[in-house]
């Protein structure tokens, strides 16, 4: 087997694991993180898994809208018109 084939195989496996982890439901991700934390892992990986366990099971916003004020329904809202570029 050539070096190029080994590198491609490693990349494909890594990308597949990343896609599976990203698309996995949060509850399944937390369960997988608990199982993985029982194994000896590098410190950086352990920290990421600990963050996954500590994450709140809600919408995933992490409070990004905490400082923003939502306009009242009666306030006038601006209309934005964008031109299409040719």
């Amino acid at each position: 087997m050539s070096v190029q084939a080994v590198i491609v195989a490693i990349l494909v496996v890594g990308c597949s694991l990343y896609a599976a982890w990203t698309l996995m439901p949060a509850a399944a991700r937390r369960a997988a993180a608990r199982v993985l934390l029982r194994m000896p892992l590098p410190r950086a990986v352990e920290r990421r898994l600990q963050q996954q366990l500590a994450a709140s099971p809600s919408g995933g916003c992490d409070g990004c809208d905490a400082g923003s004020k939502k306009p009242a329904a009666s306030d006038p809202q601006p209309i934005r018109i964008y031109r299409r570029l040719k």
Side-chain angles (χ1 to χ4, degrees):
M1 189 181 274
S2 70
V3 175
Q4 181 179 0
V6 171
I7 292 172
V8 169
I10 290 170
L11 286 173
V12 168
V13 169
C15 290
S16 298
L17 291 174
Y18 174 77
W21 183 265
T22 303
L23 297 174
M24 189 183 303
R29 211 176 307 142
R30 282 191 300 275
R34 276 190 211 98
V35 170
L36 289 172
L37 281 172
R38 294 181 192 146
M39 299 178 184
L41 296 169
R43 211 50 160 154
V45 175
E46 282 185 13
R47 268 185 270 146
R48 300 275 300 209
L49 291 174
Q50 289 291 347
Q51 288 173 352
Q52 186 64 45
L53 286 175
S56 118
S58 63
C61 180
D62 294 334
C64 60
D65 62 345
S68 65
K69 177 188 154 224
K70 296 194 177 200
S74 61
D75 290 346
Q77 300 295 317
I79 297 175
R80 294 186 179 100
I81 300 173
Y82 297 101
R83 290 186 177 188
R84 289 187 177 181
L85 298 176
K86 294 183 181 182

